[in-house]
């Protein structure tokens, strides 16, 4: 290309010489037409040369960009651009050849130790280096995955060869130590006793076994106990100086790293593996330990399950033997139970009869703990005039007066307290009814009341009779002299008419007996009939009594009031009227 440009330059020079010659002739007046033609040809040639050199400079700029040449100055009219363009073309050709060569070697990234200067600081070169790095990382990851897979496959074979627990654990821990490139290792299995859970060494590899001889590591005790409590993988890079030592032909040294792997399956802890190492475990080694620990835990679980099943079978055999021995006793017990059941059935029938009799005799009603009516028997409904549907779900205050005493009673019933006495209810017509009975909290097995039962008899008529009698007594006390004695006829109390009649006060009345009011000659006679009077509920007799020194005869009635146990509570004597009739001495006899 350079030769062509030089030839073009020679032609251009010749034209310029011709142009000069023609110019000289024109000054002499000759060759004007030839001069014009020469000038035109020279202009065309100059324009073509300039365009060509400009194009060459652009090609040089493009090749420089392709070769990643930074800051290179390019002159548009320099003939050196031609040499530069030729060199760049050779470099580009070399770049593509090297790129093809390196691409063919990407499958063996270790062979790409160095890279040619042409590809340095170049986008293609950088891309090739990144691809080489990525492929190297992929191969490393694949090797790690293969290492994990091979290890798991190896331990699957080891774990299938079950033996006694000590030998089985040793096979596991010794192979694990070698595969993980550890220096020491120990395997611990979880057990429990009366004091709780603990770890016990099942096997060790290169450890000083005396370190754990006959020692139980309790939950939370030391490093192993902490892993037992937290159930988390532990990686300790600062091992205590006196924790353990690794002994070799070069002497004893403290390991730099300690790994404790919990043996977990379905969130349940079965044991732990302790590894001591001089080096730090790589992430893929930790991943392998976590995976293989789950497989080991699964096998320990099956061994424990087998042992537990074996114990259950042994216990079952023992139990079967005991059951055979007790079969006759059980048969005898069954017969006794049948007799007891028959007796219980009779008792239940008797109880049902009692309940039926109670249900036919007294009123009963059921309430929930909030005091809402639930049900009642026929006696209750008949006397109150309600139907069950009238009261269902109604509060107790529909039939009982809602006052503080009643509310307090219900609060205490809810706490399980029992109440008995007289109660007032309202029937359907709002008439007041009196009941005498009990409110009973029904306590269930949890010790808390479940409902409230009321058992009572309606005593409205008796209450009215008592009220009538009270009115009559008060009327008698306000009309006639009345005095009360104990069974020995010692004065207890008297109304104002009696005390005024005989001139005694309430203070000295307590010191008096009936003898103090009787005529002296009649006292022996009264003592003779006293037992007869006390033995009757009611007596009407004539008594000579002394008033203001004079003897007066009164017709008296004596009523005997008894306690619930039949003993005499008091004797009530009423002076009905004064009579003129004299009491014969013999009459008293």
């Amino acid at each position: 290309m350079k030769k062509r440009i030089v030839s073009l330059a020679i032609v251009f020079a010749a034209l310029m010489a011709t142009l000069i010659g023609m110019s000289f002739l024109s000054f002499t007046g000759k060759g004007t037409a030839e001069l014009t033609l020469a000038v035109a040809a020279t202009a065309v040639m100059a324009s073509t040369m300039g365009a060509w050199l400009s194009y060459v400079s652009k090609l040089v700029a493009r090749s420089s960009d392709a070769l990643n040449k930074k800051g290179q100055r390019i002159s548009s009219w320099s003939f050196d651009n031609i040499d530069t363009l030729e060199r760049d073309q050779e470099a580009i050709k070399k770049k593509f050849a090297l790129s093809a060569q390196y691409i063919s070697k990407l499958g063996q990234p270790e062979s790409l130790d160095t890279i040619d200067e042409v590809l340095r600081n170049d986008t293609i070169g950088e891309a090739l280096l990144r691809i080489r790095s990525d492929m190297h990382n992929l191969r490393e990851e694949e090797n790690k995955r293969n290492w994990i897979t091979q290890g798991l496959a190896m331990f699957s074979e080891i774990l299938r060869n079950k033996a006694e627990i000590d030998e089985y654990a040793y096979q596991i821990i010794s192979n694990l130590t070698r595969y993980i490139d550890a220096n020491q290792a120990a395997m611990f299995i979880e057990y429990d006793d009366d004091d709780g859970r603990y770890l016990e060494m099942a096997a060790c590899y290169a450890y000083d076994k005396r370190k754990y001889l006959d020692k139980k590591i309790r939950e939370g005790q030391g490093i192993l106990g902490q892993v037992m409590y937290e159930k988390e993988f532990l990686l300790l890079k600062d091992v205590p100086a006196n924790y353990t030592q690794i002994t070799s032909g070069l002497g004893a040294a403290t390991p730099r790293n300690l790994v404790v792997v919990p043996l977990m399956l379905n969130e349940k802890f079965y044991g732990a593996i302790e590894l001591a190492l001089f080096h730090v475990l790589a992430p893929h080694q930790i991943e392998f330990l976590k995976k293989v620990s789950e497989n080991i835990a699964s096998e320990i679980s099956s061994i424990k399950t087998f042992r537990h099943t074996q114990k259950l079978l042994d216990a079952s055999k023992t139990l079967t033997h005991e059951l055979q021995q007790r079969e006759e006793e059980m048969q005898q017990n069954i017969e006794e139970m049948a007799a007891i059941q028959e007796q219980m059935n009779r008792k239940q029938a008797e109880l049902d009869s009692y309940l039926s009799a109670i249900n036919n005799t007294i009123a009963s009603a059921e309430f929930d703990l909030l005091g809402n009516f639930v049900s009642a028997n026929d006696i209750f409904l008949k006397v109150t005039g309600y139907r069950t549907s009238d009261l269902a779900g109604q509060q107790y205050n529909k039939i009982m007066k809602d006052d503080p005493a009643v509310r307090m009673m219900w609060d205490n019933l809810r706490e399980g307290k029992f109440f008995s006495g007289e109660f007032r209810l309202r029937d359907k017509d709002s008439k007041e009814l009196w009941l005498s009975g009990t409110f009973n909290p029904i306590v269930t097995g949890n010790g808390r009341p479940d409902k409230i039962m009321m058992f009572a008899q309606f005593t409205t008529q008796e209450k009215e009779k008592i009220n009538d009698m009270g009115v009559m007594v008060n009327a008698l006390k306000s009309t006639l002299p009345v005095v009360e004695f104990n069974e020995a006829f010692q004065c207890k109390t008297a109304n104002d008419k009696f005390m005024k009649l005989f001139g005694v006060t309430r203070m000295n009345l307590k010191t008096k007996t009936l003898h103090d009011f009787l005529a002296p000659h009649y006292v022996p006679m009264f003592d003779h009939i006293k037992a007869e009077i006390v033995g009757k509920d009611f007596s009407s007799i004539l008594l000579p009594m002394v008033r203001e020194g004079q003897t007066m005869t009164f017709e008296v009635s004596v009523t005997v009031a008894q306690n619930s146990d039949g003993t005499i509570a008091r004797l009530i004597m009423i002076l009905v009227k004064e009579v003129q009739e004299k009491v014969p001495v013999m009459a008293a006899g």
Side-chain angles (χ1 to χ4, degrees):
M1 181 179 289
K2 184 177 180 182
K3 291 179 179 181
R4 293 176 183 175
I5 297 300
V6 170
S7 298
L8 184 60
I10 293 171
V11 173
F12 180 72
L15 287 173
M16 290 297 293
T18 302
L19 180 60
I20 293 169
M22 289 296 179
S23 299
F24 179 77
L25 290 176
S26 64
F27 284 113
T28 60
K30 297 179 181 180
T32 302
E34 290 82 354
L35 178 61
T36 302
L37 180 62
V39 169
T42 302
V44 171
M45 183 61 71
S47 176
T48 302
M49 180 65 71
W52 178 257
L53 290 175
S54 177
Y55 176 71
V56 170
S57 67
K58 290 180 180 179
L59 289 177
V60 171
R62 290 178 182 177
S63 64
S64 296
D65 288 341
L67 293 172
N68 201 27
K69 293 180 179 179
K70 306 295 184 181
Q72 182 178 3
R73 298 184 62 184
I74 300 173
S75 176
S76 299
W77 297 94
S78 174
F79 285 101
D80 291 337
N81 289 340
I82 297 172
D83 292 334
T84 302
L85 183 61
E86 286 183 348
R87 287 194 302 273
D88 287 351
Q89 291 296 320
E90 291 297 323
I92 290 172
K93 183 178 178 181
K94 181 179 180 182
K95 177 179 179 180
F96 280 109
L98 288 173
S99 296
Q101 180 182 355
Y102 286 142
I103 289 172
S104 66
K105 293 182 179 181
L106 285 176
Q108 300 86 31
E110 62 277 0
S111 64
L112 302 178
D113 294 332
T114 60
I115 191 165
D116 194 273
E117 185 70 27
V118 174
L119 294 178
R120 283 182 188 168
N121 301 320
D122 184 77
T123 53
I124 295 177
E126 291 175 356
L128 289 172
L129 290 175
R130 283 197 302 272
I131 293 172
R132 182 184 70 174
S133 176
D134 291 343
M135 293 189 69
H136 177 74
N137 292 337
L138 287 173
R139 180 165 292 182
E140 287 291 323
E141 291 300 321
E142 184 179 0
N143 291 337
K144 292 175 183 178
R145 286 194 296 271
N146 290 336
W147 184 84
I148 293 174
T149 302
Q150 291 171 4
L152 292 176
M154 180 187 75
F155 273 91
S156 294
E157 291 296 326
I158 295 171
L159 293 173
R160 273 198 291 268
N161 298 323
K162 292 184 175 62
E164 290 296 324
I165 190 65
D166 293 343
E167 177 61 26
Y168 190 56
Y170 179 78
Q171 290 298 324
I172 294 171
I173 203 67
S174 60
N175 282 279
L176 183 62
T177 304
R178 289 192 292 269
Y179 195 75
I180 208 73
D181 195 23
N183 301 91
Q184 295 181 158
M187 182 172 171
F188 301 84
I189 297 179
E190 181 213 32
Y191 298 99
D192 56 50
D193 56 18
D194 294 339
D195 296 327
R197 301 164 59 217
Y198 66 93
L199 287 173
E200 189 171 81
M201 178 186 281
C204 64
Y205 186 81
Y207 257 121
D208 179 7
K209 193 168 184 178
R210 289 173 298 176
K211 178 179 176 66
Y212 294 104
L213 188 62
D214 297 329
K215 182 178 180 182
K216 296 178 181 179
I217 302 171
R218 294 289 175 182
E219 185 175 12
Q221 176 185 351
I223 295 175
L224 284 166
Q226 192 66 24
V227 171
M228 183 182 186
Y229 176 75
E230 296 179 352
K231 302 177 182 178
E232 295 289 341
F233 191 94
L234 177 66
L235 179 59
L236 190 63
K237 296 182 180 179
D238 187 15
V239 179
N242 60 350
Y243 186 78
T244 186
Q245 286 188 335
I246 297 175
T247 305
S248 67
L250 301 177
T254 301
R256 293 175 53 199
N257 303 282
L258 186 73
V259 179
V260 182
V261 185
L263 302 179
M264 300 286 296
L265 179 66
N266 297 328
E267 303 298 324
K268 182 171 175 56
F269 182 85
Y270 289 94
I273 291 176
E274 185 181 72
L275 300 164
L277 313 94
F278 283 124
H279 64 277
V280 178
L281 286 177
H284 71 283
Q285 292 177 309
I286 294 175
E287 181 183 354
F288 167 74
L289 282 176
K290 290 181 178 179
K291 289 182 177 180
V292 79
S293 67
E294 186 172 343
N295 296 340
I296 296 171
S298 176
E299 294 302 323
I300 294 175
S301 173
S302 63
I303 291 173
K304 283 191 169 185
T305 301
F306 175 77
R307 285 186 171 184
H308 181 65
T309 304
Q310 189 64 41
K311 287 182 180 179
L312 291 178
L313 288 173
D314 294 341
S316 177
K317 290 179 182 179
T318 304
L319 182 61
T320 301
H321 181 67
E322 292 178 357
L323 289 174
Q324 290 174 349
Q325 291 180 339
R326 296 179 182 178
E327 185 175 359
E328 295 181 1
E329 297 178 8
M330 289 181 63
Q331 185 63 34
Q332 183 179 354
N333 291 338
I334 290 172
E335 294 174 357
E336 293 177 356
M337 288 175 63
I340 293 172
Q341 183 65 42
E342 183 179 354
Q343 185 179 0
M344 288 178 63
N345 290 337
R346 289 197 301 268
K347 291 291 185 182
Q348 185 64 45
E350 184 179 352
L351 179 61
D352 291 341
S353 298
Y354 288 152
L355 292 175
S356 177
I358 292 172
N359 195 46
N360 294 325
T361 304
I362 62 175
S364 66
E366 180 182 338
F367 300 85
D368 63 19
L369 288 181
L370 297 177
N372 297 317
F373 180 87
V374 177
S375 64
N377 67 354
D378 292 339
I379 294 177
F380 181 90
L381 297 174
K382 183 177 180 180
V383 175
T384 60
Y386 287 106
R387 292 177 299 181
T388 301
S389 58
D390 297 333
L391 296 176
Q394 296 290 329
Q395 267 277 330
Y396 64 85
N397 54 21
K398 182 175 178 64
I399 58 174
M400 298 183 72
K401 186 177 180 181
D402 188 16
D403 58 24
V406 173
R407 288 195 294 271
M408 183 180 295
M409 180 188 77
W410 278 96
D411 290 340
N412 285 288
L413 286 171
R414 294 186 189 99
E415 296 298 322
K417 295 182 180 179
F418 167 88
F419 278 85
S420 65
E422 287 189 323
F423 307 93
R424 286 183 293 178
L425 300 181
R426 291 190 300 270
D427 65 8
K428 192 172 183 180
D429 298 326
S430 298
K431 181 181 176 181
E432 188 175 79
L433 301 175
W434 282 89
L435 294 91
S436 177
T438 61
F439 278 84
N440 307 274
I442 305 303
V443 180
T444 58
N446 60 7
R448 299 292 299 171
D450 184 55
K451 58 185 176 181
I452 308 297
M453 290 296 299
M454 182 203 79
F455 298 100
Q457 287 184 324
F458 285 95
T459 59
T460 305
Q461 293 180 352
E462 289 79 358
K463 193 72 175 177
E464 290 175 349
K465 288 180 182 179
I466 292 172
N467 289 338
D468 291 343
M469 288 179 64
V471 173
M472 292 176 62
V473 169
N474 289 333
L476 285 172
K477 286 184 176 182
S478 63
T479 305
L480 300 173
V482 179
V483 62
E484 294 183 12
F485 303 96
N486 61 14
E487 59 181 335
F489 284 94
Q490 293 176 333
C491 292
K492 296 179 66 177
T493 184
N495 66 355
D496 292 338
K497 285 188 173 295
F498 182 88
M499 290 187 290
K500 185 176 180 180
L501 179 64
F502 291 97
V504 293
T505 64
R506 196 170 298 279
M507 294 296 294
N508 61 20
L509 179 68
K510 299 288 186 179
T511 63
K512 303 291 184 180
T513 67
L514 181 57
H515 289 176
D516 295 321
F517 300 104
L518 291 175
H521 70 276
Y522 189 74
V523 170
M525 302 303 138
F526 179 78
D527 289 340
H528 184 70
I529 65 172
K530 181 170 64 173
E532 181 181 354
I533 294 172
V534 173
K536 296 179 180 181
D537 292 335
F538 176 79
S539 299
S540 180
I541 58 175
L542 297 177
L543 290 179
M545 306 180 75
V546 178
R547 176 178 177 271
E548 296 180 353
Q550 294 183 354
T551 300
M552 303 174 63
T553 301
F554 289 93
E555 179 183 344
V556 300
S557 64
V558 180
T559 302
V560 179
Q562 295 182 341
N563 295 313
S564 58
D565 58 358
T567 58
I568 297 174
R570 61 186 183 275
L571 301 167
I572 305 170
M573 179 180 290
I574 301 174
L575 279 60
V576 180
K577 61 182 177 179
E578 182 183 356
V579 297
Q580 298 300 320
E581 183 179 355
K582 302 297 183 180
V583 180
V585 175
M586 294 303 295

